[in-house]
Amino acid sequence: MCGIVGYLGYRKAYPIVINGLQRLEYRGYDSAGIILINENNVNLYKTKGKVSDLKELVAKNNSNGGLALGHTRWATHGIPNNENSHPHVSNSGNLVIVHNGIIENYDTLKKELTTRGYTFTSDTDTEVLINLIEEIKTTNNCKLGEAVQLALTSVIGAYAIAVFDISKPNEIIVARLGSPIAIGIGENNKDFFIASDASPFIEYTKDAIYLDDEELAIIKLGKDIRIRKIQDNAIVEPNIQELKLNLEQIEKGGYEHFMLKEIHEQPKAILDTYRGRLLADKGIIKMGSVDNNITKFLNANRIIIVACGTSWHAGLVAEYLFEDLARMPVEVEYASEFRYRNPIINKGDIVIAISQSGETADTLAAIKLAKSKGAFVFGVCNVVGSSIARETNTGAYTHAGPEIGVASTKAFTTQITVLTLIALKLGNLKGELSNSQFHTYLQEMSLIPSKVEETLKINAIVEEIASIYKDAPNCLYLGRGYNFPVALEGALKLKEISYIHAEGYPAAEMKHGPIALIDESMPVVVIATKKGHYDKVVSNIQEIKSRKGKIIAVVTKGDTIVKELADHIIEIPETLEAFTPLLTTIPLQLLSYHIAVMRGCNVDQPRNLAKSVTVE
Ligand code: F6R
């Protein structure tokens, strides 16, 4: 949570930092701030609200020099208001900090600092940290880098920070533990960028260093970047990576919202996910990270999947895939529960961690726990080089491209794609899928991008349905088998972006309680594709119908039975049962999108949410 952007160099810093903050708003958007340094002028602007509010506040007073540090916040300590917004300044007025993460022992540190005369204007843990740095710097009469390093050794928690001294505006100190931070390197040590991810500086440089945990970097104009380990002071050789990201990928490309763009990107995203892995004509699935560990996979006692939110729903789909196609036992765990439950994990277990951002704190902690108990941990992440991608033993990227809309869409379908490939491969190697069945699956998988494309054509029908139900206070989503997790995901999408209360249920479970809610004002979205318990779902639809519920059914093209019963039908192309989630999820994404737009909600930045949840 929270986005950090900084610039130090010969360019005008304000536009770089303010535009960068706008790109990082997916990380948090309840308040924002920026400090601009121009020789002897220091201008600090902070406001509750979005980066656009900050822009208005700064207005024309932005003629600054080559140093600026900005922040977009997702509140943890202290409500979103001007005082709690970053940057925070130390008591002397000299030191400035922006921070992403949580200092867990801030209260103890704050009390200690208070007894030594420090005062605080905000409720944040961050203001405590900058004063701790100041105290150490003054007491030890040391350089800023050293003071930051010493302060961080007393800190418990997670952080990505950038700190500078107003009286020495040619140097920024950056450090990380548990929260990401990237340094962009421009021309000949004259041009440096700092950001929570590389998107704010992508048009300026393709060279970046991603700090590892426990690393501190000293960025000084005219000097090479120096990196060292915080705890033992060991020198770290900077690892400069070439960025693959391009500007087009992080812009809306003509769509009104990122979410809509990302929904429409799914055919390509799925193709990119299996490109080079699915060789349908040769009857091969090639995945280096699975192939290199194939004995472990084939001999695994069970697979434990850990994830949160939408990624957890992808994990539930994977449970059906692994059990059905590879006959492997699977447990799917909320990472946040798993990590505190003293779970039983054995050496022969494979833990699969699923995360779009690769930064979700609970998933990261669950991985560390599983590793400490001897499990082999495989990651399915979208963000290359993310904390989870690095913490896992190995893994497979989804290659979905940047997902900027806070509600996950293409991340979900591409996670399912990766997990499908693994389940198919293991199913075939274990002899659970004959070669001919395996080939049928591979051939069908290669058609999925075009079938998703075809599914997207129902947009206008979904928009019309959305206009009918946009004011409903509640909504029920039902599915069975492979499509039960899709029902959960559909309900989550509606809740998070339109603020309509929605529940997902296994269709048959409805009669054990939720049926009491059904009356003529209750829309019920039912996934009723031909494959997968069709007759049973038809009976469930009849049960809803007899109670006057309004039925929106997602059906296979050409369906006649459900058509007779449902109030609205949304047709999707036919596919194998195991692949239906990749298609049935599309209309549900579009339904929540259109309802949210019609209700005037902020689709890409729903209230109270943030894209990567780096706090527990
Ligand atoms: C919902 C959504 C969240 C995330 C969850 C996990 O649309 O985006 O539920 O799925 O916060 O995030 P990652 O996948 O980044 O670990």
PDB file of all heavy atoms in Angstrom, residues 165-195:
ATOM      1  N   ASP A 165      17.931  15.158   3.422  1.00  0.00           N
ATOM      2  CA  ASP A 165      18.199  16.285   4.316  1.00  0.00           C
ATOM      3  C   ASP A 165      18.041  17.555   3.479  1.00  0.00           C
ATOM      4  O   ASP A 165      18.732  17.722   2.453  1.00  0.00           O
ATOM      5  CB  ASP A 165      19.653  16.136   4.834  1.00  0.00           C
ATOM      6  CG  ASP A 165      20.001  17.217   5.846  1.00  0.00           C
ATOM      7  OD1 ASP A 165      19.350  18.283   5.836  1.00  0.00           O
ATOM      8  OD2 ASP A 165      20.942  16.987   6.631  1.00  0.00           O
ATOM      9  N   ILE A 166      17.135  18.432   3.914  1.00  0.00           N
ATOM     10  CA  ILE A 166      16.842  19.637   3.123  1.00  0.00           C
ATOM     11  C   ILE A 166      18.108  20.476   2.911  1.00  0.00           C
ATOM     12  O   ILE A 166      18.282  21.115   1.865  1.00  0.00           O
ATOM     13  CB  ILE A 166      15.743  20.466   3.834  1.00  0.00           C
ATOM     14  CG1 ILE A 166      14.413  19.737   3.679  1.00  0.00           C
ATOM     15  CG2 ILE A 166      15.658  21.886   3.285  1.00  0.00           C
ATOM     16  CD1 ILE A 166      13.253  20.331   4.453  1.00  0.00           C
ATOM     17  N   SER A 167      19.024  20.430   3.870  1.00  0.00           N
ATOM     18  CA  SER A 167      20.231  21.249   3.738  1.00  0.00           C
ATOM     19  C   SER A 167      21.258  20.614   2.787  1.00  0.00           C
ATOM     20  O   SER A 167      22.257  21.237   2.438  1.00  0.00           O
ATOM     21  CB  SER A 167      20.864  21.486   5.109  1.00  0.00           C
ATOM     22  OG  SER A 167      21.290  20.251   5.627  1.00  0.00           O
ATOM     23  N   LYS A 168      21.016  19.351   2.386  1.00  0.00           N
ATOM     24  CA  LYS A 168      21.924  18.703   1.417  1.00  0.00           C
ATOM     25  C   LYS A 168      21.100  18.057   0.309  1.00  0.00           C
ATOM     26  O   LYS A 168      20.981  16.835   0.230  1.00  0.00           O
ATOM     27  CB  LYS A 168      22.756  17.638   2.132  1.00  0.00           C
ATOM     28  CG  LYS A 168      23.769  18.237   3.078  1.00  0.00           C
ATOM     29  CD  LYS A 168      24.751  17.184   3.541  1.00  0.00           C
ATOM     30  CE  LYS A 168      25.714  17.838   4.495  1.00  0.00           C
ATOM     31  NZ  LYS A 168      25.917  17.078   5.719  1.00  0.00           N
ATOM     32  N   PRO A 169      20.529  18.891  -0.552  1.00  0.00           N
ATOM     33  CA  PRO A 169      19.575  18.337  -1.519  1.00  0.00           C
ATOM     34  C   PRO A 169      20.216  17.639  -2.714  1.00  0.00           C
ATOM     35  O   PRO A 169      19.653  17.636  -3.804  1.00  0.00           O
ATOM     36  CB  PRO A 169      18.778  19.573  -1.942  1.00  0.00           C
ATOM     37  CG  PRO A 169      19.693  20.717  -1.726  1.00  0.00           C
ATOM     38  CD  PRO A 169      20.672  20.350  -0.671  1.00  0.00           C
ATOM     39  N   ASN A 170      21.383  17.065  -2.511  1.00  0.00           N
ATOM     40  CA  ASN A 170      22.008  16.299  -3.606  1.00  0.00           C
ATOM     41  C   ASN A 170      22.084  14.805  -3.276  1.00  0.00           C
ATOM     42  O   ASN A 170      22.773  14.051  -3.940  1.00  0.00           O
ATOM     43  CB  ASN A 170      23.423  16.831  -3.893  1.00  0.00           C
ATOM     44  CG  ASN A 170      24.330  16.630  -2.697  1.00  0.00           C
ATOM     45  OD1 ASN A 170      23.858  16.401  -1.574  1.00  0.00           O
ATOM     46  ND2 ASN A 170      25.636  16.720  -2.922  1.00  0.00           N
ATOM     47  N   GLU A 171      21.346  14.398  -2.252  1.00  0.00           N
ATOM     48  CA  GLU A 171      21.455  13.001  -1.817  1.00  0.00           C
ATOM     49  C   GLU A 171      20.107  12.506  -1.288  1.00  0.00           C
ATOM     50  O   GLU A 171      19.417  13.219  -0.557  1.00  0.00           O
ATOM     51  CB  GLU A 171      22.503  12.919  -0.704  1.00  0.00           C
ATOM     52  CG  GLU A 171      22.733  11.528  -0.187  1.00  0.00           C
ATOM     53  CD  GLU A 171      23.670  11.506   1.019  1.00  0.00           C
ATOM     54  OE1 GLU A 171      23.291  12.031   2.098  1.00  0.00           O
ATOM     55  OE2 GLU A 171      24.754  10.958   0.885  1.00  0.00           O
ATOM     56  N   ILE A 172      19.747  11.282  -1.668  1.00  0.00           N
ATOM     57  CA  ILE A 172      18.549  10.633  -1.100  1.00  0.00           C
ATOM     58  C   ILE A 172      18.967   9.245  -0.606  1.00  0.00           C
ATOM     59  O   ILE A 172      19.716   8.527  -1.282  1.00  0.00           O
ATOM     60  CB  ILE A 172      17.415  10.473  -2.133  1.00  0.00           C
ATOM     61  CG1 ILE A 172      17.004  11.828  -2.718  1.00  0.00           C
ATOM     62  CG2 ILE A 172      16.214   9.796  -1.516  1.00  0.00           C
ATOM     63  CD1 ILE A 172      15.831  11.762  -3.692  1.00  0.00           C
ATOM     64  N   ILE A 173      18.451   8.876   0.548  1.00  0.00           N
ATOM     65  CA  ILE A 173      18.705   7.537   1.084  1.00  0.00           C
ATOM     66  C   ILE A 173      17.425   6.725   0.915  1.00  0.00           C
ATOM     67  O   ILE A 173      16.329   7.191   1.248  1.00  0.00           O
ATOM     68  CB  ILE A 173      19.060   7.586   2.601  1.00  0.00           C
ATOM     69  CG1 ILE A 173      20.124   8.644   2.894  1.00  0.00           C
ATOM     70  CG2 ILE A 173      19.444   6.205   3.115  1.00  0.00           C
ATOM     71  CD1 ILE A 173      21.471   8.405   2.267  1.00  0.00           C
ATOM     72  N   VAL A 174      17.582   5.525   0.407  1.00  0.00           N
ATOM     73  CA  VAL A 174      16.430   4.663   0.161  1.00  0.00           C
ATOM     74  C   VAL A 174      16.693   3.328   0.846  1.00  0.00           C
ATOM     75  O   VAL A 174      17.827   2.842   0.835  1.00  0.00           O
ATOM     76  CB  VAL A 174      16.260   4.443  -1.372  1.00  0.00           C
ATOM     77  CG1 VAL A 174      15.105   3.540  -1.656  1.00  0.00           C
ATOM     78  CG2 VAL A 174      16.079   5.772  -2.078  1.00  0.00           C
ATOM     79  N   ALA A 175      15.648   2.737   1.440  1.00  0.00           N
ATOM     80  CA  ALA A 175      15.853   1.430   2.084  1.00  0.00           C
ATOM     81  C   ALA A 175      14.585   0.615   1.983  1.00  0.00           C
ATOM     82  O   ALA A 175      13.488   1.162   1.812  1.00  0.00           O
ATOM     83  CB  ALA A 175      16.238   1.630   3.542  1.00  0.00           C
ATOM     84  N   ARG A 176      14.753  -0.696   2.117  1.00  0.00           N
ATOM     85  CA  ARG A 176      13.579  -1.565   1.972  1.00  0.00           C
ATOM     86  C   ARG A 176      13.625  -2.769   2.903  1.00  0.00           C
ATOM     87  O   ARG A 176      14.681  -3.370   3.107  1.00  0.00           O
ATOM     88  CB  ARG A 176      13.511  -2.015   0.518  1.00  0.00           C
ATOM     89  CG  ARG A 176      13.178  -3.459   0.370  1.00  0.00           C
ATOM     90  CD  ARG A 176      12.915  -4.014  -0.943  1.00  0.00           C
ATOM     91  NE  ARG A 176      12.207  -5.263  -0.638  1.00  0.00           N
ATOM     92  CZ  ARG A 176      11.422  -5.891  -1.441  1.00  0.00           C
ATOM     93  NH1 ARG A 176      11.212  -5.459  -2.640  1.00  0.00           N
ATOM     94  NH2 ARG A 176      10.819  -7.005  -1.058  1.00  0.00           N
ATOM     95  N   LEU A 177      12.476  -3.093   3.454  1.00  0.00           N
ATOM     96  CA  LEU A 177      12.258  -4.379   4.116  1.00  0.00           C
ATOM     97  C   LEU A 177      10.784  -4.712   3.947  1.00  0.00           C
ATOM     98  O   LEU A 177       9.919  -4.098   4.578  1.00  0.00           O
ATOM     99  CB  LEU A 177      12.618  -4.304   5.613  1.00  0.00           C
ATOM    100  CG  LEU A 177      12.354  -5.602   6.406  1.00  0.00           C
ATOM    101  CD1 LEU A 177      13.245  -6.728   5.915  1.00  0.00           C
ATOM    102  CD2 LEU A 177      12.568  -5.401   7.883  1.00  0.00           C
ATOM    103  N   GLY A 178      10.498  -5.646   3.081  1.00  0.00           N
ATOM    104  CA  GLY A 178       9.117  -6.117   2.935  1.00  0.00           C
ATOM    105  C   GLY A 178       8.232  -5.291   2.018  1.00  0.00           C
ATOM    106  O   GLY A 178       7.157  -5.740   1.651  1.00  0.00           O
ATOM    107  N   SER A 179       8.612  -4.094   1.646  1.00  0.00           N
ATOM    108  CA  SER A 179       7.815  -3.297   0.705  1.00  0.00           C
ATOM    109  C   SER A 179       8.719  -2.906  -0.459  1.00  0.00           C
ATOM    110  O   SER A 179       9.872  -2.541  -0.241  1.00  0.00           O
ATOM    111  CB  SER A 179       7.306  -2.016   1.373  1.00  0.00           C
ATOM    112  OG  SER A 179       6.504  -2.340   2.464  1.00  0.00           O
ATOM    113  N   PRO A 180       8.194  -2.950  -1.676  1.00  0.00           N
ATOM    114  CA  PRO A 180       9.075  -2.782  -2.832  1.00  0.00           C
ATOM    115  C   PRO A 180       9.553  -1.348  -3.061  1.00  0.00           C
ATOM    116  O   PRO A 180       8.865  -0.388  -2.715  1.00  0.00           O
ATOM    117  CB  PRO A 180       8.196  -3.219  -3.995  1.00  0.00           C
ATOM    118  CG  PRO A 180       6.809  -2.982  -3.529  1.00  0.00           C
ATOM    119  CD  PRO A 180       6.802  -3.175  -2.047  1.00  0.00           C
ATOM    120  N   ILE A 181      10.726  -1.241  -3.654  1.00  0.00           N
ATOM    121  CA  ILE A 181      11.219   0.080  -4.078  1.00  0.00           C
ATOM    122  C   ILE A 181      12.202  -0.112  -5.233  1.00  0.00           C
ATOM    123  O   ILE A 181      13.046  -1.005  -5.198  1.00  0.00           O
ATOM    124  CB  ILE A 181      11.846   0.873  -2.910  1.00  0.00           C
ATOM    125  CG1 ILE A 181      12.052   2.356  -3.267  1.00  0.00           C
ATOM    126  CG2 ILE A 181      13.140   0.279  -2.387  1.00  0.00           C
ATOM    127  CD1 ILE A 181      10.968   3.241  -2.800  1.00  0.00           C
ATOM    128  N   ALA A 182      12.015   0.706  -6.257  1.00  0.00           N
ATOM    129  CA  ALA A 182      12.893   0.602  -7.430  1.00  0.00           C
ATOM    130  C   ALA A 182      13.610   1.934  -7.633  1.00  0.00           C
ATOM    131  O   ALA A 182      13.066   2.996  -7.327  1.00  0.00           O
ATOM    132  CB  ALA A 182      12.052   0.287  -8.661  1.00  0.00           C
ATOM    133  N   ILE A 183      14.831   1.843  -8.132  1.00  0.00           N
ATOM    134  CA  ILE A 183      15.607   3.058  -8.422  1.00  0.00           C
ATOM    135  C   ILE A 183      15.878   3.069  -9.928  1.00  0.00           C
ATOM    136  O   ILE A 183      16.482   2.128 -10.458  1.00  0.00           O
ATOM    137  CB  ILE A 183      16.951   3.060  -7.652  1.00  0.00           C
ATOM    138  CG1 ILE A 183      16.693   2.900  -6.148  1.00  0.00           C
ATOM    139  CG2 ILE A 183      17.748   4.328  -7.944  1.00  0.00           C
ATOM    140  CD1 ILE A 183      17.955   2.573  -5.349  1.00  0.00           C
ATOM    141  N   GLY A 184      15.417   4.113 -10.594  1.00  0.00           N
ATOM    142  CA  GLY A 184      15.689   4.243 -12.020  1.00  0.00           C
ATOM    143  C   GLY A 184      16.959   5.054 -12.215  1.00  0.00           C
ATOM    144  O   GLY A 184      17.149   6.074 -11.542  1.00  0.00           O
ATOM    145  N   ILE A 185      17.801   4.588 -13.123  1.00  0.00           N
ATOM    146  CA  ILE A 185      19.076   5.288 -13.322  1.00  0.00           C
ATOM    147  C   ILE A 185      19.081   5.930 -14.692  1.00  0.00           C
ATOM    148  O   ILE A 185      19.032   5.251 -15.721  1.00  0.00           O
ATOM    149  CB  ILE A 185      20.248   4.295 -13.203  1.00  0.00           C
ATOM    150  CG1 ILE A 185      20.120   3.585 -11.849  1.00  0.00           C
ATOM    151  CG2 ILE A 185      21.592   4.990 -13.298  1.00  0.00           C
ATOM    152  CD1 ILE A 185      20.933   2.340 -11.782  1.00  0.00           C
ATOM    153  N   GLY A 186      19.134   7.252 -14.691  1.00  0.00           N
ATOM    154  CA  GLY A 186      19.157   7.979 -15.947  1.00  0.00           C
ATOM    155  C   GLY A 186      20.584   8.187 -16.430  1.00  0.00           C
ATOM    156  O   GLY A 186      21.394   7.267 -16.403  1.00  0.00           O
ATOM    157  N   GLU A 187      20.876   9.444 -16.828  1.00  0.00           N
ATOM    158  CA  GLU A 187      22.165   9.713 -17.473  1.00  0.00           C
ATOM    159  C   GLU A 187      23.309   9.894 -16.485  1.00  0.00           C
ATOM    160  O   GLU A 187      23.205  10.730 -15.587  1.00  0.00           O
ATOM    161  CB  GLU A 187      22.051  11.017 -18.273  1.00  0.00           C
ATOM    162  CG  GLU A 187      21.195  10.892 -19.497  1.00  0.00           C
ATOM    163  CD  GLU A 187      20.937  12.275 -20.082  1.00  0.00           C
ATOM    164  OE1 GLU A 187      21.878  13.092 -20.096  1.00  0.00           O
ATOM    165  OE2 GLU A 187      19.794  12.532 -20.481  1.00  0.00           O
ATOM    166  N   ASN A 188      24.358   9.167 -16.674  1.00  0.00           N
ATOM    167  CA  ASN A 188      25.657   9.391 -16.017  1.00  0.00           C
ATOM    168  C   ASN A 188      25.623   9.953 -14.601  1.00  0.00           C
ATOM    169  O   ASN A 188      26.234  10.983 -14.328  1.00  0.00           O
ATOM    170  CB  ASN A 188      26.487  10.402 -16.841  1.00  0.00           C
ATOM    171  CG  ASN A 188      26.708   9.890 -18.222  1.00  0.00           C
ATOM    172  OD1 ASN A 188      26.767   8.676 -18.404  1.00  0.00           O
ATOM    173  ND2 ASN A 188      26.798  10.796 -19.182  1.00  0.00           N
ATOM    174  N   ASN A 189      24.910   9.317 -13.740  1.00  0.00           N
ATOM    175  CA  ASN A 189      24.842   9.747 -12.334  1.00  0.00           C
ATOM    176  C   ASN A 189      24.339  11.186 -12.157  1.00  0.00           C
ATOM    177  O   ASN A 189      24.641  11.842 -11.174  1.00  0.00           O
ATOM    178  CB  ASN A 189      26.213   9.610 -11.652  1.00  0.00           C
ATOM    179  CG  ASN A 189      26.635   8.168 -11.591  1.00  0.00           C
ATOM    180  OD1 ASN A 189      25.797   7.273 -11.676  1.00  0.00           O
ATOM    181  ND2 ASN A 189      27.918   7.933 -11.454  1.00  0.00           N
ATOM    182  N   LYS A 190      23.552  11.632 -13.175  1.00  0.00           N
ATOM    183  CA  LYS A 190      23.020  13.003 -13.070  1.00  0.00           C
ATOM    184  C   LYS A 190      21.508  12.985 -12.912  1.00  0.00           C
ATOM    185  O   LYS A 190      20.863  14.015 -12.838  1.00  0.00           O
ATOM    186  CB  LYS A 190      23.346  13.784 -14.360  1.00  0.00           C
ATOM    187  CG  LYS A 190      24.821  14.142 -14.477  1.00  0.00           C
ATOM    188  CD  LYS A 190      25.047  15.133 -15.598  1.00  0.00           C
ATOM    189  CE  LYS A 190      24.711  14.527 -16.936  1.00  0.00           C
ATOM    190  NZ  LYS A 190      25.096  15.247 -18.115  1.00  0.00           N
ATOM    191  N   ASP A 191      20.928  11.788 -12.848  1.00  0.00           N
ATOM    192  CA  ASP A 191      19.506  11.658 -13.067  1.00  0.00           C
ATOM    193  C   ASP A 191      18.996  10.381 -12.379  1.00  0.00           C
ATOM    194  O   ASP A 191      19.238   9.278 -12.873  1.00  0.00           O
ATOM    195  CB  ASP A 191      19.382  11.488 -14.599  1.00  0.00           C
ATOM    196  CG  ASP A 191      18.066  11.878 -15.146  1.00  0.00           C
ATOM    197  OD1 ASP A 191      17.353  12.621 -14.492  1.00  0.00           O
ATOM    198  OD2 ASP A 191      17.765  11.421 -16.263  1.00  0.00           O
ATOM    199  N   PHE A 192      18.308  10.531 -11.233  1.00  0.00           N
ATOM    200  CA  PHE A 192      17.863   9.347 -10.493  1.00  0.00           C
ATOM    201  C   PHE A 192      16.362   9.419 -10.206  1.00  0.00           C
ATOM    202  O   PHE A 192      15.840  10.488  -9.880  1.00  0.00           O
ATOM    203  CB  PHE A 192      18.604   9.235  -9.157  1.00  0.00           C
ATOM    204  CG  PHE A 192      20.083   9.057  -9.298  1.00  0.00           C
ATOM    205  CD1 PHE A 192      20.944  10.135  -9.083  1.00  0.00           C
ATOM    206  CD2 PHE A 192      20.618   7.823  -9.633  1.00  0.00           C
ATOM    207  CE1 PHE A 192      22.314   9.974  -9.207  1.00  0.00           C
ATOM    208  CE2 PHE A 192      21.997   7.662  -9.757  1.00  0.00           C
ATOM    209  CZ  PHE A 192      22.853   8.742  -9.548  1.00  0.00           C
ATOM    210  N   PHE A 193      15.723   8.279 -10.276  1.00  0.00           N
ATOM    211  CA  PHE A 193      14.284   8.177 -10.021  1.00  0.00           C
ATOM    212  C   PHE A 193      14.069   7.122  -8.933  1.00  0.00           C
ATOM    213  O   PHE A 193      14.785   6.117  -8.897  1.00  0.00           O
ATOM    214  CB  PHE A 193      13.542   7.716 -11.288  1.00  0.00           C
ATOM    215  CG  PHE A 193      13.840   8.562 -12.487  1.00  0.00           C
ATOM    216  CD1 PHE A 193      15.003   8.343 -13.251  1.00  0.00           C
ATOM    217  CD2 PHE A 193      12.984   9.577 -12.865  1.00  0.00           C
ATOM    218  CE1 PHE A 193      15.289   9.122 -14.357  1.00  0.00           C
ATOM    219  CE2 PHE A 193      13.261  10.357 -13.969  1.00  0.00           C
ATOM    220  CZ  PHE A 193      14.421  10.138 -14.720  1.00  0.00           C
ATOM    221  N   ILE A 194      13.090   7.378  -8.098  1.00  0.00           N
ATOM    222  CA  ILE A 194      12.778   6.412  -7.037  1.00  0.00           C
ATOM    223  C   ILE A 194      11.283   6.177  -7.096  1.00  0.00           C
ATOM    224  O   ILE A 194      10.507   7.130  -7.202  1.00  0.00           O
ATOM    225  CB  ILE A 194      13.136   7.014  -5.656  1.00  0.00           C
ATOM    226  CG1 ILE A 194      14.635   7.217  -5.573  1.00  0.00           C
ATOM    227  CG2 ILE A 194      12.657   6.136  -4.511  1.00  0.00           C
ATOM    228  CD1 ILE A 194      14.997   8.338  -4.652  1.00  0.00           C
ATOM    229  N   ALA A 195      10.865   4.921  -7.023  1.00  0.00           N
ATOM    230  CA  ALA A 195       9.421   4.682  -7.047  1.00  0.00           C
ATOM    231  C   ALA A 195       9.096   3.289  -6.528  1.00  0.00           C
ATOM    232  O   ALA A 195       9.947   2.388  -6.555  1.00  0.00           O
ATOM    233  CB  ALA A 195       8.886   4.843  -8.462  1.00  0.00           C
TER     234      ALA A 195
END
